């Protein structure tokens, strides 16, 4: 893009300078407007909102369950999921509020329902005042609401990924693909990253530690969350993460530059994963313990010596 | 003469610049009145130019009436003070690449100050904003080749004998090298490009692993 204002020389002329400034501001605002309407930025916000609400949901539901546990400690044993427990608290209120009718249709087995009702009769929990209950209940309702919002965010991320980056979505999965995009700073950035960088996105701390000290570099960052990586035996994970990263890099480029679905990427990935699983079925033989520390990068010590010499 | 005011309070030095946009704050800084004029306090922890001055670099690196090319304005904290210093007779050409932070720069600084012209473009291409020769090039950009970018901009727009203020971000250049080594190497690049280094300082404790180099271009001056 050529800048129409670039050739004007404003020196000495206050009016033309203000004209130029006015035009520049308008052009800048237009750039900002354009940049802010990119759909992948909304996706990045959504995945971050999803991760935020996950954290907050966990904290809130755990606290509500813990608090209600003072009153009805046995319930937490029988209902493992804190959000489900919050739903029960909302519905039943105090311990006395639990009855068979209320517990039906919540995915609890007959045995569990019976156990809850028995436990209620001889609970070791303490008294709960109305004021206490009001707060616990309201906290529970916050948790329940949050979990609803989380679900909606999840659906949004899924559908947005299908729309914006169908190939990345296919290869990495919607949430992982979205997280990679968030880390990279948008689909355009992800499409320009080398696969080796994509492989360790999210493991920056381990990477820089490795570079500084000569320790072994990380094999996977965000990609560890990919089922094919974390479900694989340890010795295969590096190879699998590398393969997925390679395909994500290709997928991101197809999504960004061409924008059409390309089934061969996923097919190639599956084929390659299959052959890794086949070829590296057995764990590698144990390496004899290495005595020497891996060689350090020379930068640091050499620099230090120079520093002392100068003084 | 310098438009920067120095004050000693609680055993610390505070810097103030005369507020060009009366009554307005840019980043929630304190506004104070001195001898009938409004000043803004200049936070060295948020502005590397203020940090450099407190670390002993001269007050007059940027002067009243100067035309300044400012690369990497970010949200406009330091550019607003540069705008204060150069005053109505001066000019600040502010270049920022990232739209998100440039939004605040345009809203809070460029729109409010008549001596600021904003550009949201890549500083690797000075032809996009080469609207005037300048007396000062200020460069604070997080790129491995920041020094080369600064030099290219100087070649395009800096007057002979003009000043270059280069913020050396050692961690952006090479995370593994010792910062001091990076500082020496970047300084050598300036010198071999015909610049004379007037002064340089590390910016700790205000900014970690950063340095400021103050240099003058060859030619006259």
């Amino acid at each position: 893009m050529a800048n129409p204002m670039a050739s004007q020389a404003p020196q000495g002329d206050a009016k033309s300078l203000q004209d130029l400034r006015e035009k520049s501001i308008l052009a800048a605002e237009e750039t900002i407007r354009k940049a802010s309407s990119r759909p992948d930025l909304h996706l990045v916000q959504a995945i971050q909102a999803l991760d935020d609400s996950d954290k907050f949901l966990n904290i809130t539901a755990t606290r509500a369950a813990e608090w209600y546990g003072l009153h009805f400690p046995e319930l937490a044993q029988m209902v493992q999921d804190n959000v489900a427990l919050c739903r029960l608290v909302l519905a039943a209120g105090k311990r006395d509020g639990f009855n068979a009718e209320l517990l039906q249709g919540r995915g609890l087995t007959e045995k569990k329902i019976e156990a809850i009702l028995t436990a209620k009769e001889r609970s070791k929990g303490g008294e709960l005042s109305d004021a206490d209950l009001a707060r616990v209940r309201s906290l529970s309702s916050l948790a329940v609401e949050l979990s609803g919002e989380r679900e909606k965010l999840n659906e949004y991320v899924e559908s947005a990924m299908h729309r914006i980056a169908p190939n990345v979505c296919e290869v990495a999965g919607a949430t992982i693909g979205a997280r990679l995009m968030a880390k990279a700073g948008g689909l355009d950035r992800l499409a320009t990253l080398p696969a080796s960088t994509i492989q360790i996105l999210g493991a920056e701390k381990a990477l820089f530690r490795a570079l500084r000290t000569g320790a072994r570099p990380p094999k996977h960052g965000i990609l560890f969350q990919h089922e094919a990586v974390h479900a694989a035996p340890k010795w295969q994970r590096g190879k699998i993460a590398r393969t997925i990263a390679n395909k994500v890099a290709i997928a991101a480029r197809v999504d960004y530059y061409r924008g059409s679905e390309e089934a061969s990427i996923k097919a190639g990935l599956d084929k390659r994963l299959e052959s890794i699983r086949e070829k590296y079925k057995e764990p590698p033989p144990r390496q004899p313990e290495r005595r020497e520390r891996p060689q350090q990068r020379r930068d640091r010590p050499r620099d230090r010596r120079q520093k002392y010499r100068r003084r | 003469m310098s438009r920067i005011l120095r004050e000693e309070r609680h055993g610390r030095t505070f810097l103030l610049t005369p507020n060009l946009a009366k009554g307005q704050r840019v980043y929630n800084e304190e506004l104070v009145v001195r001898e009938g004029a409004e000043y803004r306090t200049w936070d060295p922890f948020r502005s590397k130019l203020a940090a450099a001055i407190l670390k002993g670099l001269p007050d007059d690196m940027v002067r009243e009436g100067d035309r300044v090319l400012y690369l990497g304005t970010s949200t406009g904290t330091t550019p607003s003070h540069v705008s204060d210093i150069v005053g109505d007779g001066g000019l600040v050409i502010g270049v920022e690449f990232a739209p998100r932070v440039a939004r605040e720069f345009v809203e809070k600084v460029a729109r409010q100050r008549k001596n600021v012209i904003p550009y949201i473009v890549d500083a690797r291409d000075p032809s996009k904003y080469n609207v005037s020769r300048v007396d000062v090039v200020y460069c604070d950009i997080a790129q491995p080749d920041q020094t080369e970018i600064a030099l290219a901009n100087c070649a395009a727009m800096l007057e002979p004998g003009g000043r270059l203020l280069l913020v050396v971000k050692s961690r952006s250049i090479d995370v593994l090298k010792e910062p001091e080594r990076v500082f020496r190497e970047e300084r050598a690049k300036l010198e071999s490009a015909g610049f004379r280094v007037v002064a340089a300082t590390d910016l700790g404790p205000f900014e970690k692993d950063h340095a400021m180099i103050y240099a003058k271009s060859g030619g006259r001056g």
Side-chain angles (χ1 to χ4, degrees), chain B residues 84-208:
Chain B
D84 284 346
I85 294 167
V86 301
D88 286 321
L91 175 67
V92 179
I93 300 170
V95 180
E96 171 58 50
F97 188 53
R100 174 65 191 84
V101 287
R103 190 175 84 203
E104 282 172 56
F105 169 61
V106 173
E107 267 167 34
K108 290 187 181 160
V109 180
R111 270 250 173 244
Q112 318 299 334
R113 291 159 178 270
K114 289 219 154 76
N115 61 4
V116 178
I117 305 182
Y119 287 93
I120 307 182
V121 294
D122 195 331
R124 286 193 172 83
D125 186 4
S127 71
K128 294 233 168 89
Y129 47 84
N130 191 352
V131 292
S132 166
R133 305 291 288 176
V134 296
D135 308 297
V136 180
V137 170
Y138 183 101
C139 178
D140 183 2
I141 53 181
Q143 290 294 320
D145 56 343
Q146 48 167 264
T147 307
E148 287 76 8
I149 295 173
L151 286 173
N153 278 277
C154 290
M157 293 170 69
L158 190 62
E159 295 276 12
R163 286 153 274 157
L164 167 64
L165 289 166
L166 180 66
V167 177
V168 183
K169 307 169 95 73
S170 72
R171 293 299 180 205
S172 299
I173 292 173
D174 189 332
V175 278
L176 298 179
K177 273 188 203 162
E178 285 282 311
E180 286 192 37
R181 177 170 164 192
V182 176
F183 299 154
R184 275 199 308 279
E185 287 172 359
E186 301 311 302
R187 181 183 177 135
K189 282 182 197 168
L190 295 189
E191 281 164 349
S192 64
F195 279 81
R196 183 171 57 83
V197 174
V198 181
T201 179
D202 182 277
L203 293 182
F206 304 111
E207 203 81 40
K208 213 177 144 193

Side-chain angles (χ1 to χ4, degrees), chain A residues 25-309:
Chain A
I25 289 177
L26 291 178
E29 285 171 345
E30 185 54 29
T31 309
I32 293 167
R33 210 168 292 126
K34 272 209 192 104
S36 316
S37 56
R38 279 171 36 186
D40 58 334
L41 296 185
H42 289 266
L43 177 57
V44 166
Q45 293 293 334
I47 185 69
Q48 281 165 348
L50 178 68
D51 289 343
D52 288 349
S53 53
D54 253 344
K55 263 187 230 154
F56 190 44
L57 171 62
N58 252 322
I59 294 174
T60 314
T62 310
R63 177 58 56 210
E66 192 70 22
W67 194 347
Y68 194 72
L70 288 176
H71 174 59
F72 193 177
E74 294 80 3
L75 187 62
Q77 241 100 73
M78 282 166 284
V79 184
Q80 301 288 336
D81 176 16
N82 286 334
V83 176
L85 189 141
C86 286
R87 283 208 183 85
L88 285 178
V89 174
L90 268 187
K94 290 187 192 174
R95 207 162 55 208
D96 301 333
F98 283 86
N99 57 49
E101 197 184 330
L102 183 130
L103 292 169
Q104 232 97 64
R106 290 180 183 273
L108 294 163
T109 57
E110 281 300 318
K111 247 173 104 184
K112 268 229 167 107
I113 292 177
E114 208 168 299
I116 292 173
L117 294 176
T118 331
K120 162 189 146 182
E121 298 306 326
R122 42 191 175 89
S123 170
K124 292 185 286 295
E127 275 303 301
L128 193 71
S129 76
D130 288 344
D132 298 334
L133 178 67
R135 300 285 37 99
V136 184
R137 241 183 160 158
S138 138
L139 201 60
S140 304
S141 107
L142 187 61
V144 171
E145 219 166 290
L146 260 173
S147 93
E149 185 56 38
R150 205 211 89 95
E151 274 322 297
K152 285 188 204 124
L153 280 169
N154 205 12
E155 282 162 26
Y156 173 88
V157 169
E158 290 266 348
S159 76
M161 273 301 282
H162 276 291
R163 198 177 65 241
I164 296 164
N167 293 301
V168 173
C169 186
E170 181 76 14
V171 173
T175 45
I176 295 172
R179 281 188 195 118
L180 290 172
M181 213 184 278
K183 213 40 196 210
L187 181 58
D188 57 333
R189 298 267 187 96
L190 187 63
T192 56
L193 287 183
S196 53
T197 303
I198 295 174
Q199 185 182 347
I200 44 114
L201 275 181
E204 288 79 6
K205 199 172 152 195
L207 173 70
F208 288 123
R209 184 179 54 218
L211 288 172
R212 259 198 303 274
T213 64
R216 284 149 51 124
K219 296 186 280 293
H220 31 56
I222 290 170
L223 279 182
F224 183 74
Q225 299 161 6
H226 196 287
E227 220 210 319
V229 178
H230 72 243
K234 224 172 173 183
W235 63 91
Q236 291 179 2
R237 285 179 191 162
K239 303 178 205 314
I240 291 178
R242 186 176 65 237
T243 306
I244 297 175
N246 288 338
K247 296 301 180 186
V248 168
I250 297 170
R253 287 163 207 187
V254 174
D255 284 333
Y256 184 67
Y257 293 106
R258 200 198 309 160
S260 62
E261 274 182 70
E262 181 62 63
S264 66
I265 305 175
K266 174 77 160 113
L269 173 66
D270 290 341
K271 209 174 130 210
R272 176 82 182 109
L273 290 185
E274 200 40 57
S275 83
I276 289 173
R277 291 190 187 113
E278 192 51 44
K279 193 169 171 196
Y280 301 97
K281 227 174 198 153
E282 300 303 321
R286 286 212 114 197
Q287 303 249 319
E289 197 95 348
R290 259 195 292 182
R291 297 293 296 276
E292 280 169 83
R293 300 235 351 194
Q295 217 192 346
Q296 300 241 330
R297 287 266 309 218
R298 272 202 231 109
D299 274 333
R300 293 217 131 205
R302 203 203 275 154
D303 252 345
R304 247 179 227 136
R305 282 199 301 276
Q306 278 184 357
K307 198 158 117 191
Y308 291 129
R309 238 188 337 232

